């Protein structure tokens, strides 16, 4: 690590600090007011557009049951028990010679053996279906008649098992199955009332059998009204983060628990009926949070991921499997792809670049055009491997790098520094990443309060000539059970002032995980929680949003009472960063006060527009209880507030930074705006 730590600078700072303190001017003592002085930074100061982004992985039911708006669980009957997610009545049998090669199972509904009984199937979605009164729902089903007698009728009902309501059904419709050939039938349903735990029921009405396959229900109100769409409320929450980069599809999901279950992007394209359904590795990763019904339908596949990145205005950053399975779970090296088999894995990566960027004369560029996007997606970044380490990773990575550099020198390649932000793997991987001339190195920082409190200075000493950093996964895990809480979010904010200050070396940062179903999560804390009707933005979400929204366009240097501001107890737990935003025409200062005391601060902006500002705003984020967070019951418990600065504040820029708060001070001046 010697190369990466600027020890001289660190010792220099300590010496200055010692002198400062020995002279009697302590941060907390006589100098009650902190003078935060903004100075123009020397050298390259541009803030990367990618600095704050999002990382999507299908964990915590983030895809099926989450972002993917499909409401039917196990719609193709491909879970290890084909009836999982379904309740059946009457005469229902599973068959496996269906019309979709990759998902061959379907159901045969035959008449019940008694005229009082009925044959029906019922699906309760993902912990119930959230149905909205008068909203339109698109039902579809593949079906065929069996006995040569057509048409046969299927009755489709939406309902809720609600003890307070006498009639359970909230919408009814019929499908006439008209032929013995497999065909898709569709129907619109409008519930007569709201349901949070709704279900769908399909009855066989006639006296002849009908085969059914790929049963689907989507709300009409999805993101951009697209078919096979995503939940609008969730995508809007992502869009509000203004992500500059979008990493997908994992995470450990990229690795799989064996090579068969690794993520294979080519299998996620084309008609959803034929995208292979497979178990999700988070189904069984934590015994205490076992979800045997957690599968991946790949309804959101790589085409949808690229489209979403484009919608969000974020750079797409796919991660490909490096020929290694999850090294936490691998019992032996022999479970990895042998080097001699790596050609196919590398070709997958090259084909992915062609899929994203190739013109229509190329095989994969044509595929993208046929799917509906003739223009290239403009891929610039590619991650190779998730949390990999050791010799087995480095030797495989080298082969990927060689082949991709040769064919696509324009693509920036991202390597792994292992699962931890320090330690043996980390220390040995960084020099290897430098040797392989990776453009960026992915660091994963799931750490406790103490780590976050001290790590705002982490990147100050990184070697500016080494690969850049992608803080690809990070979150403050409170020792108490990993719950989301306001004070963890505040610690993340303190850490992020260090990212702001070092955006010449940290090019991108993404919190993880992004999404979690309140009733079906495996990992916490998470950025956004949801159930079938509600989206809950955590305190961490608001921190991400604030840093992203106010990331600025140029880095500015900031000192506090003459010293560089690193944060930490020696500096009264005050953390801060400064940027200029040429788009807004504003100088922006973020201040995190982790201490239990209010602190008076004076913002000295004389180096910027002579320190005279006609207008300003203050964004204040704090909580009355630092252990609190937003919940289903109280989704707006902690939210930031924005207020205009008073004339006096604009003139003398003195403020009180409240105990345990994040505040952002925006000073507007037309002269700062880019012309
Ligand atoms: O974010 C959850 C998991 O944490 C990711 O899948 C993995 O990369 C890390 O261990």
């Amino acid at each position: 690590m010697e190369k990466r730590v600027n020890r001289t600078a660190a010792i220099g700072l300590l010496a200055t600090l010692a002198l400062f303190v020995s002279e009697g001017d302590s941060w907390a003592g006589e100098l009650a007011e902190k003078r935060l002085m903004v100075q123009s930074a020397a050298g390259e100061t541009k803030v990367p557009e990618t600095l704050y982004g999002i990382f999507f992985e299908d964990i915590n039911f983030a895809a099926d049951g989450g972002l993917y708006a499909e409401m039917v669980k196990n719609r193709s009957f491909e879970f290890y028990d084909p009836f999982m997610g379904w309740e059946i009545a009457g005469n229902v049998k599973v068959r496996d010679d269906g019309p979709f090669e990759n998902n061959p199972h379907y159901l045969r509904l035959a008449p019940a053996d008694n005229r009082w009984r009925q044959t029906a199937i019922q699906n309760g979605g993902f912990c119930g279906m959230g149905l909205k009164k008068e909203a339109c729902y698109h039902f579809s089903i593949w079906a065929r008649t069996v006995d040569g007698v057509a048409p046969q009728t299927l009755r489709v009902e939406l309902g809720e098992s609600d003890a307070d309501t006498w009639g359970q059904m909230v919408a009814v419709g019929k499908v006439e199955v008209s032929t013995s050939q497999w065909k898709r039938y569709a129907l619109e349903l409008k519930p007569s009332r709201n349901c949070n735990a709704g279900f769908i029921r399909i009855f066989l009405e006639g006296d002849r059998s009908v085969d059914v396959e790929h049963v689907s229900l989507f709300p009409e109100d999805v993101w951009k009204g697209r078919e096979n769409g995503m939940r609008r409320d969730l995508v809007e929450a992502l869009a509000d983060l203004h992500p500059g980069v979008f990493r997908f599809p994992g995470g450990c999901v990229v690795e799989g628990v064996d090579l068969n279950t690794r993520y294979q992007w080519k299998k996620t394209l084309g008609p959803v009926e034929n995208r292979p359904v497979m178990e999700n590795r988070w189904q069984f990763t934590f015994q205490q949070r076992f979800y045997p019904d957690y599968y991946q339908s790949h309804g959101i596949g790589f085409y949808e991921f690229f489209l979403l990145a484009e919608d969000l205005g974020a750079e797409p950053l796919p991660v490909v499997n490096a020929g290694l399975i999850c090294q936490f779970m691998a019992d032996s090296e022999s479970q990895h792809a042998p080097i001699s088999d790596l050609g196919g894995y590398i070709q997958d990566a090259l084909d992915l670049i062609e899929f994203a960027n190739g013109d229509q004369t190329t095989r994969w560029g044509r595929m993208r055009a046929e799917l509906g996007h003739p223009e290239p997606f403009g891929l610039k970044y590619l991650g190779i491997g998730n949390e990999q380490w050791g010799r087995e990773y480095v030797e495989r990575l080298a082969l990927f790098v060689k082949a991709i550099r040769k064919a696509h020198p324009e693509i920036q390649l991202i390597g792994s520094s292992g699962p931890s932000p320090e330690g043996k793997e980390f220390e040995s991987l960084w020099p290897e990443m430098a040797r392989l001339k990776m453009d960026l190195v992915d660091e994963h920082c799931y750490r406790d309060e103490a780590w976050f409190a001290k790590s705002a200075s982490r990147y100050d000493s990184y070697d500016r000539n080494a690969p850049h950093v992608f803080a690809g996964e990070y979150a403050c895990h409170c020792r108490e059970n990993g719950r989301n809480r306001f004070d963890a979010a505040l610690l993340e904010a303190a850490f992020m002032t260090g990212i702001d200050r070092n955006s010449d070396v940290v090019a991108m940062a993404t919190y993880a995980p992004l999404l979690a179903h309140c009733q079906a999560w495996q990992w916490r804390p998470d950025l956004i929680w949801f159930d079938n009707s509600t989206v809950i933005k955590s305190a961490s979400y608001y921190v991400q949003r604030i840093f992203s929204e106010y990331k600025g366009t140029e880095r500015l240097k900031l000192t506090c009472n003459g010293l560089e501001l690193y944060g930490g107890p020696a500096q009264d737990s005050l953390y801060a960063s400064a940027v200029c935003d040429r788009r807004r025409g504003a100088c922006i200062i973020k201040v995190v006060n982790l201490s239990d005391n209010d602190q008076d601060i004076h913002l000295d902006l004389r180096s910027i527009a002579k320190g005279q500002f006609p207008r300003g705003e203050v964004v204040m984020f704090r909580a009355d209880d630092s252990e609190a967070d937003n919940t289903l019951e109280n989704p707006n418990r902690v939210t930031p507030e924005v207020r205009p600065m008073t004339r006096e504040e604009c003139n003398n820029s003195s403020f009180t930074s409240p105990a345990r708060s994040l505040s952002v001070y925006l000073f507007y001046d037309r002269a700062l705006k880019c012309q």
Side-chain angles (χ1 to χ4, degrees), residues 443-498:
E443 295 193 346
H444 291 184
C445 314
Y446 296 109
R447 285 293 184 265
D448 65 8
E449 296 93 324
W451 189 92
F452 274 86
K454 72 171 190 226
S455 294
S457 57
R458 174 179 178 87
Y459 297 115
D460 294 349
S461 53
Y462 267 44
D463 182 351
R464 269 46 197 169
N465 298 314
H468 285 171
V469 175
F470 171 28
E473 298 184 24
Y474 66 95
C476 176
H477 283 219
C478 285
R479 266 161 285 189
E480 187 239 324
N481 222 352
R483 261 192 323 110
N484 280 87
R485 14 192 298 172
F486 178 80
D487 53 6
L490 212 54
L491 283 153
E492 286 151 12
F495 174 61
M496 291 168 81
T497 60

Side-chain angles (χ1 to χ4, degrees), residues 55 57 59 251-253 282 328 386-387 444 446 473 512-513 523:
F55 160 47
E57 173 169 25
I59 180 173
C252 295
V253 155
W282 294 108
F328 275 118
N386 174 43
E387 282 178 349
H444 291 184
Y446 296 109
E473 298 184 24
W523 178 298

Side-chain angles (χ1 to χ4, degrees), residues 58-59 253 278-285 294-296:
D58 189 2
I59 180 173
V253 155
M278 64 183 222
E279 72 187 10
N280 186 308
R281 57 147 294 146
W282 294 108
Q283 183 191 108
F284 45 78
T285 306
Y294 194 2
Y295 278 68
Q296 293 171 270

